[in-house]
Amino acid sequence: MSDTEDKTIVALETLTEGKPAAKASLAGLSPAHLVCIDTSNAENLTIGQKFPIAAAEVFLGRDSTCTIPITAKKLSRRHARIFAGAGTWGIEDLDSTNGVYVNDAKITSAWLKHHDEIRLGSIRFRFELERPAFAERSVAVAPAAEDTGEHTIAAGSFLGGQAMLAAVQAAETDQKRNPEADSRRTRTTVPQAAKGRGSPLVYFLMVVLVAAAGIGAVVYYGGGSDVDRLIEQSERIAERVVQHSHDQNLVQIRSADHAQDIAALEKQITQLAAARTTAPDNEALANIYAQLLFLRFERQYVKLLENDLVAAEKLTEVLAENIGTLTTPLPKADRVTTVRELTKLAAIIVRFRRFAQTYKTQTANAPPPPPQALAELVEPKNAFNHLMSRVAGSASAVRFAIFSLVAKETGERDVAIYTEWADHLSV
């Protein structure tokens, strides 16, 4: 499929033939809930707010009759529904205007897994199972539509081989049951020298076919599921690392020891980098790789920014180089795009921090900065304000809470010092 073609996923197609799935019993399903991770300025949502999924159908949208009503103009009245399926939960787009996305892929309907990210327009939720281990044991989730073709070939070959083998076995049984009839057929169609040798040979070939197809299917699925498991494991590590600094201020963060989290991130980053060599087009893999790179970065950067600006600048350059390796066109890798923007913002923060440390607050007795030093930061200030407007209230503020606090502090302190000098000297 080319990058310009529609990549909309209809993950339930193999079960529902494109039609909405029927309501199912809640028996055998893990209880679940949605966690809001990006309000996108919806009036009645807060980040971290939980919504239990306690019925076989849960509707989301602007309409007050929805199970989860959301006050947001960009949502349709009935935007989406979450429903109980065959041992798992699914989600369906109810012909909304701004679409439904699962892990940044636009969907018509799809099965949900623990920690999947759901986006309705620009509002984001995280889907969480309360008993994820139980669900993983109980459910075999259908593959996404983009993978269905190749997986079907492997499974189809295996099942086709079984069917052919069954046919051969039936023929053998029929021959034993009615040798006279078979003998009459053989005399008219098969040379005498071939008698008695055809069926065992075919039988042997069918066994080989079944074995080969079966091995191929196992290898094919094994490779894909290894990457999926690595992504899911990385998502869990990312969430755990973020939770460690949740609700902390910058004083607490700077005094905390992040060595254990950084070590866990580095181990996972190494595995993700290796996986990317064999799956460079996997957007989910690129997204979590970029996210973990930045989680590691912000825990090192927050301390260097206070006592070693040269090291902080070098660290930012290394991050930019690592993100620069993600050159494959990845139209749905929004976390990669976000990390690129935050990396630019990190470089700008170093420049304003250096300015503020050099010239400090403008006072009557303080020597003014040279005009060139002020002029050089005019464009960076505009870029800082632009990037900050994109970060504020977005999922980045949750995913990268430490950096968000650093950026906010920079705006309130360092950029403010620059602005004070610029206004004073009319730059």
Side-chain angles (χ1 to χ4, degrees), residues 37 238 241-243 245-246 250 253 265 286-299 319 323 334-343 345 391 394-408:
I37 59 175
V241 167
V242 169
Q243 286 298 321
S245 55
H246 183 63
L250 275 176
I253 290 168
L265 290 167
N287 271 330
I288 190 60
Y289 177 64
Q291 183 178 352
L292 264 59
L293 281 174
F294 201 85
L295 286 173
R296 179 183 65 180
F297 166 81
E298 67 177 355
R299 278 151 183 77
L319 175 64
I323 296 301
D334 67 328
R335 286 184 237 177
V336 175
T337 302
T338 297
V339 168
R340 281 200 180 104
E341 291 182 341
L342 294 181
T343 304
L345 185 56
V391 171
S394 72
S396 303
V398 179
R399 286 195 186 110
F400 311 119
I402 293 176
F403 185 77
S404 297
L405 290 172
V406 169
K408 183 180 178 183

Side-chain angles (χ1 to χ4, degrees), residues 374-402:
L374 292 168
E376 286 175 349
L377 290 177
V378 172
E379 285 304 315
K381 181 185 176 183
N382 293 334
F384 178 87
N385 291 335
H386 170 70
L387 291 169
M388 283 296 291
S389 68
R390 291 174 61 84
V391 171
S394 72
S396 303
V398 179
R399 286 195 186 110
F400 311 119
I402 293 176

Side-chain angles (χ1 to χ4, degrees), residues 301 305 309 312-313 316 346-355:
Y301 179 83
L305 204 59
L309 286 179
E313 189 171 42
T316 307
I348 293 171
I349 286 173
V350 170
R351 295 182 67 178
F352 278 106
R353 184 61 55 92
R354 183 175 285 124
F355 178 92

Side-chain angles (χ1 to χ4, degrees), residues 52-85:
I53 301 171
E57 282 189 318
V58 171
F59 291 90
L60 300 92
R62 279 191 297 116
D63 199 291
S64 59
T65 62
C66 287
T67 321
I68 303 176
I70 302 171
T71 310
K73 293 180 180 179
K74 292 188 178 181
L75 257 61
S76 300
R77 291 187 178 278
R78 282 198 155 198
H79 198 101
R81 74 172 180 127
I82 294 176
F83 56 88

